[in-house]
Amino acid sequence: MITATQLKINGMTCAACAQASERAVKKLPGVAEASVNFSTEKLLVKFETESLSLETIKTAVAKAGYEAVDDIAGKQVTIPVGGMTCASCASAIERALKKLPGVKSAAVNLATEKALVSYDSGAVRLSEIKQAIRKAGYEPLAIEAKSSAAVDEHKAAKEKEIRVLWTKFTISAFFSIPLLYIAMGAMLGWPLPAAINAMNYPLRYAFLEIGLVIPVIAAGYRFYVVGFKAIIHRSPNMDSLIAMGTSAAVIYSLWSVIAIMGGDFKLVNSLYFETAGVIITLILLGKSLEAVTKGRTSESIKKLMGLQPKTATVIQDGAELEIPIEEVEEGDVVMVRPGEKIPVDGEVLSGNTAVDESMLTGESMPVEKTQGDKVFGASINKNGAITFRATKVGADTVLARIIKLVEDAQGSKAPIAQMADIVSGYFVPIVFAIAVLTAGAWLLLGHGVVFALTVFVAVLTIACPCALGLATPTAIMVGTGKGAEHGVLIKSGAALETAHKINTIVFDKTGTITKGRPEVTDILPADGFKESEILALAATAEKGSEHPLGESIVRAAEERGESLFSVEEFKAVPGHGIAATIVGRRVLLGNARHMATSGISVDAGAADTLASEGKTPMFVSIDGRYAGIIAVADVVKESSAEAIAALHGMGIEVAMITGDSRKTAEAIARKVGIDRILAEVLPQDKAEEVKKLQAEGRKVAMVGDGINDAPALAQADVGIAIGSGTDVAMESADIVLMRSDLMDVPTAIKLSKQVIRNIKQNLFWAFGYNVLGIPVAAGILYAFGGPLLNPIIAAAAMSMSSVSVLANALRLKRFKAFKRTE
């Protein structure tokens, strides 16, 4: 059996690290797929459980020089516990918790004073777990649920990482600046005390430089630990380049110090401690800026996480009880007052209100809610108190699933990323070879060891593959996050990339271009009759009908405030219509055949005109006289024509697919500007029609409601589901539009185009930087009479290359969605 799981990878510093750990996992027998995302630091692996275990995968990652840990999601809770004094206290709590039915595991840490509990919420409530701790004689404190605390923990970890990097940079700068001043002072004529002048006291000068460089190396020790470890595991990375380059400078300088101690004072000019020190300082600066900028790429997830309220008011035994949201279980009755956020998904039991669901759908108008309607967690109750039964909690809520979709998309790889991954994987070994060969070539040409060392260090320092590794994932993270803000959920990097190539979009008609339910469009009374008269009588006759056309007539009468009567006699005539007696008047409603059977002549010309417009005419007769026509149609959504015009402006052909007659389809197509009509197509044949378009060489997107269009959505190059976040829509499509506004279709295409353009810009600058930087570092300018690149300048350029790529990706935050003109 193939299973998929996600692990967090610790210890990665560049794209080469991601490539190394990915290669290590792919080599394992039984692995079907493995993908490591450097930006999100996660490994997605699919493997055969019969031939491979998760522990083996973790071991393979460890052998590659990194650490794989569980990326846990689910019902797991951390409960701080007060009152513990020794190890036996912790054991007592563990025993009490493990006795509870539904508790899978319980571990109490005395040092942190916390209990980590995994449990089945269907078998035991969180409140029962807390009560068991109290009964054991201890006090459960404020809860930290894994589901809501995960983002806080991640945020805290990232903030700590940034703080540590800034601290290391500060320490490094504090020592490397005077080191650089001392080393360059004599050469540039800067004032230096005689006591540390290299010409007067060469050995003292050398030891002072050693004393200043040691704290800098200590601040950057991780480059050496990770870098050399990666070399030992034959998967060198960016840290390996830094470690090798600076180590070469330091070792050569130490050899020079030994020679100075032996009396060879002229080697005081061959000390390169400042090169190593300043390189480490500049790279720490770049890493600090990179960490800050990377943190901003995932702000959309933090925004979504922040939408959820912290507490909920549940009704237990007739009393209102405010509890943490993590303690709400399925089946609980929850009360929400005006102005409060709805804590979890559910179904309204009592009350009437309007709910602002804009944070989930992007739709600004509040949605009316009454008994039986669904409500969603994180939406805002506007003007009435309601009670509802919780139907989905924790990871099952619509908000949680949206967050999961966005996280999965941000962690996925677009096909365009494969080129960067391949290059990054081979890049570092090639750079090592270039550095060694270049240094050797300069030595053979008669240049000294110092010159060759400068070239060697400069090549290793400037050739960082970080920018390549960050180019794609950061743009995808920002782009998918921005899409989620506008209610456009893009489920993978592949879908995001493919969308920009789309040149034909096929819309399902019913429920996509049209509203999906018929409405009365025209009432044409005959002479001697009024609109209100025939509508009221027709609606009364159809009052008990379950036919969609009949329901539309009843709705129209209610919307116009018409008073309905009681039906004295009712008869349905299959294939023709209905006959009814209402307040003593004989009413017939149906098609032309129904009227002809009763000998009533109708206005066939008006009926044909309505039919040509895609409307269904229904004839009405009252007391044996022709009374008029009520026309019904599945009306076009307000946004359809504007969305299709926007797609035309992007050079995209638009087709419509429907099971309706060609005449009806043509009428709709004229209204909204459809280019190609695929009419009288059965639901099971929609996928075949998409395949025919693909056979013409078209890149096809299919837009449907995600339920009966699932085969066509799957067949299309990109499936786009309009379904207000329904389960089926989320499963069947590549892109989910959370609201039923067709303007989101051109928004999705526009977003894809901008993200791919941003990725290409990033890759161009990343590749261009290395293509230009390595030859300059190798001394090509010097060979033609130009300057030799100082390793310090190379380090600064390398650090800034990654930051510039990240900054370019952040420009996507300015993305503007298509808006419907009112």
Side-chain angles (χ1 to χ4, degrees), residues 190-347:
W190 295 344
L192 277 175
I196 58 170
N197 192 295
M199 296 301 102
N200 299 335
Y201 302 98
L203 192 58
R204 185 186 299 176
Y205 171 85
F207 279 123
L208 178 60
E209 285 204 356
I210 292 173
L212 288 170
V213 83
I214 285 173
V216 180
I217 291 172
Y221 79 95
R222 195 172 177 280
F223 297 132
Y224 300 94
V225 173
V226 176
F228 286 120
K229 190 175 182 181
I231 291 172
I232 292 167
H233 289 105
R234 291 180 296 177
S235 56
N237 57 22
M238 188 209 79
D239 291 332
S240 305
L241 298 177
I242 297 165
M244 285 293 290
T246 56
S247 294
V250 170
I251 291 168
Y252 179 79
S253 299
L254 289 173
W255 176 82
S256 297
V257 172
I258 293 169
I260 292 169
M261 292 170 66
D264 191 353
F265 298 134
K266 69 177 182 296
L267 286 179
V268 76
N269 293 318
S270 298
L271 300 181
Y272 278 82
F273 291 118
E274 83 284 355
T275 299
V278 175
I279 284 173
I280 290 172
T281 302
L282 288 170
I283 290 168
L284 283 171
L285 173 61
K287 285 288 177 189
S288 301
L289 294 171
E290 185 181 309
V292 170
T293 316
K294 275 173 73 177
R296 290 175 59 199
T297 62
S298 58
E299 281 176 3
S300 58
I301 289 288
K302 294 172 189 170
K303 282 181 186 175
L304 288 169
M305 290 287 194
L307 292 175
Q308 197 172 44
K310 302 296 182 187
T311 61
T313 302
V314 299
I315 299 174
Q316 292 183 0
D317 301 323
E320 294 179 16
L321 181 65
E322 187 172 302
I323 62 174
I325 193 171
E326 295 82 18
E327 295 189 29
V328 179
E329 307 287 2
E330 284 186 27
D332 281 352
V333 176
V334 184
M335 169 174 272
V336 186
R337 295 179 178 83
E340 293 181 344
K341 283 186 177 181
I342 293 170
V344 295
D345 294 1
E347 186 175 303

Side-chain angles (χ1 to χ4, degrees), residues 85 175 229 275 360 388 469 472 514 571 584 608 624 649 705 723 755 764:
T85 56
F175 289 97
K229 190 175 182 181
T275 299
L360 297 178
F388 70 91
T472 301
T514 64
K571 181 183 178 183
D608 289 342
D705 62 15
V755 170
F764 172 80

Side-chain angles (χ1 to χ4, degrees), residues 75 208 503:
K75 218 59 174 173
L208 178 60
N503 51 28

Side-chain angles (χ1 to χ4, degrees), residues 67-89:
E67 179 190 25
V69 296
D70 293 328
D71 191 34
I72 301 171
K75 218 59 174 173
Q76 190 175 59
V77 67
T78 300
I79 308 174
V81 180
M84 293 192 295
T85 56
C86 64
S88 62
C89 300

Side-chain angles (χ1 to χ4, degrees), residues 12-42:
M12 296 194 298
T13 58
C14 67
C17 302
Q19 192 73 10
S21 50
E22 191 175 288
R23 279 199 307 269
V25 174
K26 281 181 175 176
K27 287 178 183 176
L28 296 173
V31 170
E33 184 182 328
S35 173
V36 176
N37 188 305
F38 169 52
S39 189
T40 58
E41 298 175 341
K42 289 182 181 179

Side-chain angles (χ1 to χ4, degrees), residues 360-437:
L360 297 178
T361 65
E363 183 59 61
S364 59
M365 290 295 292
V367 182
E368 297 294 327
K369 301 287 182 181
T370 187
Q371 185 177 352
D373 289 338
K374 295 185 184 300
V375 290
F376 303 103
S379 55
I380 300 171
N381 183 29
K382 299 294 284 185
N383 54 17
I386 58 169
T387 60
F388 70 91
R389 188 176 305 284
T391 56
K392 291 182 179 177
V393 299
D396 296 327
T397 64
V398 167
L399 176 65
R401 284 162 53 231
I402 289 172
I403 292 168
K404 181 72 167 60
L405 278 178
V406 177
E407 283 181 328
D408 288 347
Q410 292 185 341
S412 68
K413 285 186 178 178
I416 198 171
Q418 294 172 357
M419 174 177 62
D421 285 347
I422 293 167
V423 171
S424 296
Y426 292 102
F427 191 77
V428 177
I430 290 171
V431 168
F432 269 124
I434 291 171
V436 171
L437 291 172

